[in-house]
Amino acid sequence: MKTHFTTSALFIFFLLLAASCQSTKPTFSKRGETYKTAREIAAEKRQARKGGNAGRTIASSKDRTSRTRTRSRNLDQDVATVIEAARSYTGTPYKWGGTTRVGMDCSGLLCTSFQSIDVSLPRTSDEQSRYGKKVRPKDIKEGDLVFFGANRFSRDITHVGMVTQVISKDEVRFIHASSSVGVIETNLYADHFQKIFIKAVRPPVF
């Protein structure tokens, strides 16, 4: 009798356990929420992420529009942006025809720097010398382009740089891609550059 009771009890226990396993559902929902499968929840999360990305895209577009409007009102900020872009290439080696960090030439440096404000400069230094109005040396300011010849006797423009800082009447810094040392800032009033200086031009965007 004792053995029969034990066997019956075990049989009933396994029946209850099986029924319990069959009726229990894995749930991924919080208490009080409608039951959702893991696949349904994952799909909802993907949709939510898409919506968030769309919101960020719209916000990014608004930010770009705002920056463009600010840029058109604030020319000094344009000058600062171009100078900062040019300085980011400091130390880049000289490469004729270059416009990247692998190598830059003088006019390529300016073309690349002005792209930071969505302005396309002419490609050569000679063409750039006609982009804007001529500025007297005493009126030179940040953002002006300065042009040079091959030697003191030449009036043909072969080199260009951009003024980055006006410190005094005897020290005006400009950035350029030197064929000997790469992208560097130099004093416009250094003897060598005074001998070959031809003119300064202020780009119309400034």
Side-chain angles (χ1 to χ4, degrees):
M1 182 69 178
K2 184 175 181 181
T3 302
H4 176 72
F5 175 78
T6 303
T7 302
S8 298
L10 287 172
F11 179 74
I12 292 171
F13 172 77
F14 282 117
L15 284 177
L16 291 173
L17 181 62
S20 175
C21 290
Q22 290 173 1
S23 63
T24 301
K25 293 181 179 180
T27 178
F28 296 91
S29 304
K30 296 179 182 179
R31 181 176 296 178
E33 290 182 343
T34 303
Y35 170 76
K36 299 174 185 176
T37 66
R39 180 173 294 179
E40 290 171 334
I41 292 174
E44 288 182 358
K45 287 183 178 180
R46 285 195 298 271
Q47 189 61 37
R49 283 198 294 270
K50 289 180 181 178
N53 289 337
R56 284 193 291 273
T57 300
I58 293 172
S60 177
S61 177
K62 289 181 178 178
D63 288 343
R64 286 195 296 271
T65 301
S66 176
R67 287 196 296 270
T68 300
R69 288 173 179 169
T70 300
R71 180 176 295 158
S72 65
R73 294 195 303 268
N74 190 348
L75 296 182
D76 289 340
Q77 182 59 47
D78 270 358
V79 174
T81 299
V82 175
I83 290 174
E84 181 181 3
R87 282 175 166 166
S88 74
Y89 291 96
T90 298
T92 298
Y94 180 88
K95 180 181 180 182
W96 187 83
T99 58
T100 69
R101 297 188 189 282
V102 174
M104 287 273 188
D105 65 13
C106 60
S107 56
L109 172 64
L110 298 191
C111 284
T112 303
S113 300
F114 272 80
Q115 286 175 3
S116 65
I117 58 169
D118 301 321
V119 171
S120 297
L121 287 188
R123 181 60 183 88
T124 69
S125 57
D126 182 60
E127 292 171 330
Q128 290 173 0
S129 72
R130 298 189 291 274
Y131 183 71
K133 64 179 182 179
K134 188 174 180 179
V135 179
R136 294 180 298 180
K138 68 176 184 178
D139 296 327
I140 285 175
K141 66 179 185 180
E142 288 85 352
D144 289 345
L145 308 185
V146 286
F147 298 89
F148 309 88
N151 55 62
R152 70 172 67 190
F153 305 109
S154 174
R155 302 305 298 173
D156 294 329
I157 291 172
T158 58
H159 190 61
V160 61
M162 178 178 63
V163 176
T164 55
Q165 189 177 11
V166 178
I167 299 173
S168 68
K169 64 178 183 179
D170 298 320
E171 186 171 4
V172 174
R173 311 292 293 179
F174 73 100
I175 192 166
H176 61 122
S178 164
S179 59
S180 57
V181 294
V183 178
I184 189 174
E185 287 185 63
T186 313
N187 183 11
L188 178 63
Y189 288 97
D191 288 343
H192 171 69
F193 289 104
Q194 278 300 290
K195 291 175 182 177
I196 61 175
F197 175 77
I198 294 178
K199 69 175 181 177
V201 166
R202 183 160 300 151
V205 293
F206 296 156

